[in-house]
C-alpha cells in the first residue's frame, strides 16, 4: 500500500496513509480519527471524478436587466452540477475541487459548456458575462487560450465580458497580460464581488 490508496473492506472504503505524531509520543501508540470525515472525503473525491468523467455540469444564464425599462441587456453565465441532482451546490463543488487542486479545471469545464450554448440566447445585441476562477491565474497561457475560445464562441451582436474576482487580482504583471489579451479580442472586463472582504484593488 502507498499513502493515498483507497482500501475496500467489505462495503467500507478507507484511505490508507501515514500520520506523523508528536515527537514525545510512545512508539506503540495508536492514533484514531473520525471515520465519518474520512468517508466524506473519499465520497467527495469520487463524486468530483464522476463530474469530470461525465461532464456533469450545465450552463445557466442569469439575466442582467436595466432598471429603467427592465430590458435584458446581458446575461451572466453560471454553472450547475447535474450529477445526482441536488446533492452538491456549485459552491460546494467548487470548494471540493479547490481542496483537491481542481478548481481551474472545473471552472474551464463550466465555461466550455456555457460557450457551446451562448448562441442560443435570443436577444441581440447582448453582452455575456463569464467568470475566471482565481486558480486559473497560475497559467496565463491557458487563460489566453480560454479567452480566445470565448471570443470564437460568440455569435453576431454578442459581446463577451470577463468577470474577475478581486481575489484573482494579486499579480499586477499577470493582470497586464490579461488586459492586453482582452483588448486584442475585444472582450470587456468587470469586477466580481468588488469590495467583498479585504479589497486587493
Amino acid at each position: 500500500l502507498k499513502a493515498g490508496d483507497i482500501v475496500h473492506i467489505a462495503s467500507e472504503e478507507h484511505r490508507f496513509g501515514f500520520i506523523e505524531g508528536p515527537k514525545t509520543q510512545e512508539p506503540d501508540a495508536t492514533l484514531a480519527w473520525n471515520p465519518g470525515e474520512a468517508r466524506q472525503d473519499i465520497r467527495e473525491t469520487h463524486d468530483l471524478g464522476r463530474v469530470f468523467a461525465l461532464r456533469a455540469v450545465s450552463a445557466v444564464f442569469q439575466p442582467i436587466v436595466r432598471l429603467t425599462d427592465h430590458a435584458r441587456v446581458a446575461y451572466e453565465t453560471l454553472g450547475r452540477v447535474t450529477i445526482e441532482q441536488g446533492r452538491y451546490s456549485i459552491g460546494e463543488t467548487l470548494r471540493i475541487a479547490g481542496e483537491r487542486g481542481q478548481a481551474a479545471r472545473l471552472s474551464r469545464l463550466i465555461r466550455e459548456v456555457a460557450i457551446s450554448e451562448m448562441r442560443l440566447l435570443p436577444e441581440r445585441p447582448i453582452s455575456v458575462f463569464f467568470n475566471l476562477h482565481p486558480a486559473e491565474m497560475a497559467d496565463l497561457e491557458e487563460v489566453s487560450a480560454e479567452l480566445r475560445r470565448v471570443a470564437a464562441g460568440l455569435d453576431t451582436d454578442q459581446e463577451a465580458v470577463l468577470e474577475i474576482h478581486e481575489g484573482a487580482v494579486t499579480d499586477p504583471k499577470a493582470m497586464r497580460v490579461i488586459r492586453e489579451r482582452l483588448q486584442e479580442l475585444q472582450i470587456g472586463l468587470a469586477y466580481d464581488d468588488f469590495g467583498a472582504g479585504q479589497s486587493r484593488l
Side-chain angles (χ1 to χ4, degrees):
L1 290 172
K2 301 182 302 296
D5 284 351
I6 294 177
V7 181
H8 291 264
I9 301 172
S11 63
E12 296 290 321
E13 286 185 334
H14 303 273
R15 184 178 297 275
F16 180 79
F18 298 94
I19 299 174
E20 185 174 332
K23 299 298 182 191
T24 58
Q25 191 171 2
E26 294 298 323
D28 60 349
T30 299
L31 295 176
W33 68 95
N34 184 339
E37 291 178 7
R39 282 196 294 271
Q40 180 178 345
D41 180 60
I42 292 168
R43 184 178 65 245
E44 289 177 350
T45 301
H46 173 73
D47 288 345
L48 181 65
R50 291 179 62 209
V51 167
F52 288 127
L54 301 174
R55 297 174 57 82
V57 297
S58 64
V60 178
F61 295 91
Q62 178 174 283
I64 299 174
V65 300
R66 188 169 48 222
L67 292 178
T68 53
D69 59 2
H70 301 154
R72 293 183 183 183
V73 295
Y75 287 91
E76 179 180 4
T77 60
L78 303 170
R80 296 291 182 266
V81 179
T82 58
I83 190 170
E84 297 174 19
Q85 191 69 34
R87 181 166 185 171
Y88 296 107
S89 69
I90 189 61
E92 289 172 323
T93 309
L94 281 166
R95 173 192 59 78
I96 293 166
E99 290 172 356
R100 290 150 181 82
Q102 298 290 318
R105 181 181 177 194
L106 179 59
S107 180
R108 286 192 297 268
L109 176 60
I110 293 168
R111 194 164 42 249
E112 182 181 335
V113 171
I115 289 170
S116 70
E117 298 181 11
M118 284 196 307
R119 288 192 169 100
L120 301 177
L121 296 174
E123 292 88 354
R124 297 291 189 279
I126 201 75
S127 294
V128 183
F129 287 65
F130 61 98
N131 293 285
L132 184 70
H133 193 280
E136 295 181 79
M137 297 289 286
D139 187 345
L140 289 181
E141 286 303 314
E142 183 60 35
V143 169
S144 296
E146 281 293 297
L147 294 176
R148 287 192 293 272
R149 282 190 280 272
V150 169
L154 294 172
D155 205 352
T156 306
D157 293 334
Q158 285 185 328
E159 177 186 77
V161 181
L162 170 66
E163 272 191 62
I164 190 163
H165 189 279
E166 70 175 60
V169 187
T170 57
D171 184 346
K173 183 179 178 182
M175 282 305 301
R176 279 195 293 272
V177 171
I178 290 175
R179 184 188 62 193
E180 290 169 5
R181 297 294 178 273
L182 293 173
Q183 289 174 340
E184 290 169 11
L185 297 167
Q186 296 183 320
I187 295 176
L189 176 66
Y191 290 117
D192 189 20
D193 292 336
F194 180 75
Q198 183 177 352
S199 178
R200 295 170 173 83
L201 300 177

